[in-house]
Amino acid sequence: MKKRKWIYLSLTIPALALMILFIAAPLVNAIRISFFKWNGYSQNMRWYGLKNFANLFKDDLFWRSTLNTFIYGFGSTLVQNVGGLAAALFLNNKFKGRNGVRVILYMPIMISAFIMGQILYYFVQAEGGVFNELLGLIGIPAVYWMKTGLSSTLMITLANSWQYMGLCMIIYLAGLQNIPSMYKEAAKLDGANRVKEFVHVTLPLLIPSITTAVVTNLIGGFKLFDAIVAMSNGGPNRKSMSLSFYISQLYFNDEKAGYASAVGIMTFFIIMIVALPVNAYLRKKEVEY
């Protein structure tokens, strides 16, 4: 038994090595750099203490990016899960062409987020965009879909949600197909209609799938970067930036590597502060049901 235990532990070594190399080591290095004033390439790194972190509280772009990050995170999670669950409930029924519809809904996730953002940009651009061309056919004036920071943020959120909705669909389909039919049959015998059956039987038994989908989408939304680069490049006037995008701007454009590291550390803690309680709450619900 002891020998088998050591074998199991040894099998985790490659995964642990990768985590240390690509997660732990960069995190520790980012923490170190955040205490310096550095441009990212010079050999001279000047000790800056906690000033980088103190400057965050006076940085309007940081707070704007933080607000946008919450919109991307929670907005994408809401749309992806509602849309994914609705698609899964529909595709869990038997009908001709069901597998084809599943493939079509899942296909966007197989395309690079940057390329998908570039494609969708041509749908929402003010002049010659697909949406405005369609509106013109019925006599409606063109709409500047990404005129303001808020409208840009919402359009990017919808684009990101549409692309990754297929992932939620697959997760919920797997959950629906693992629900024993006897529970639904018992609910029908008790006189429950389709709505009551969904609320009192299907939804509680989908809590494990909901946990996986919500936490995965939440973390993905909080790290959103590619779609922003493709659709708005942080504009207009840097008002649609996420924290991930802001970090890249600080490091590569503004040459503020130390400050960028401080923003990165704060982003890490923001994601942890949000994701861990949500995960704990949903795990608790799994136990209750």
Side-chain angles (χ1 to χ4, degrees), residues 76 79-80 104-105 107-109 111 116 119-120 156-167:
S76 296
V79 177
Q80 287 170 24
I104 291 170
L105 290 177
M107 278 181 65
I109 200 175
I111 302 173
M116 182 59 69
I119 293 170
L120 293 175
I156 293 168
T157 301
L158 290 174
N160 179 64
S161 302
W162 176 75
Q163 180 176 12
Y164 290 98
M165 188 181 71
L167 176 61

Side-chain angles (χ1 to χ4, degrees), residues 37-96:
K37 188 173 184 179
W38 183 44
N39 59 15
Y41 58 86
S42 171
Q43 296 296 319
N44 299 318
M45 296 175 66
R46 184 157 60 90
W47 177 257
Y48 213 48
L50 294 174
K51 290 182 182 178
N52 282 324
F53 292 95
N55 290 337
L56 291 174
F57 297 97
K58 300 178 289 184
D59 186 353
D60 292 337
L61 282 176
F62 169 75
W63 292 111
R64 177 75 192 205
S65 300
T66 301
L67 175 61
N68 290 340
T69 299
F70 275 90
I71 294 173
Y72 292 134
F74 287 105
S76 296
T77 300
L78 177 62
V79 177
Q80 287 170 24
N81 280 271
V82 172
L85 180 56
L89 289 169
F90 172 68
L91 293 172
N92 197 43
N93 299 309
K94 293 182 179 179
F95 60 89
K96 191 174 181 180

Side-chain angles (χ1 to χ4, degrees), residues 126-145:
E127 297 182 6
V130 175
F131 290 158
N132 282 336
E133 289 292 327
L134 293 174
L135 290 176
L137 293 175
I138 56 177
I140 299 177
V143 177
Y144 197 165
W145 299 97

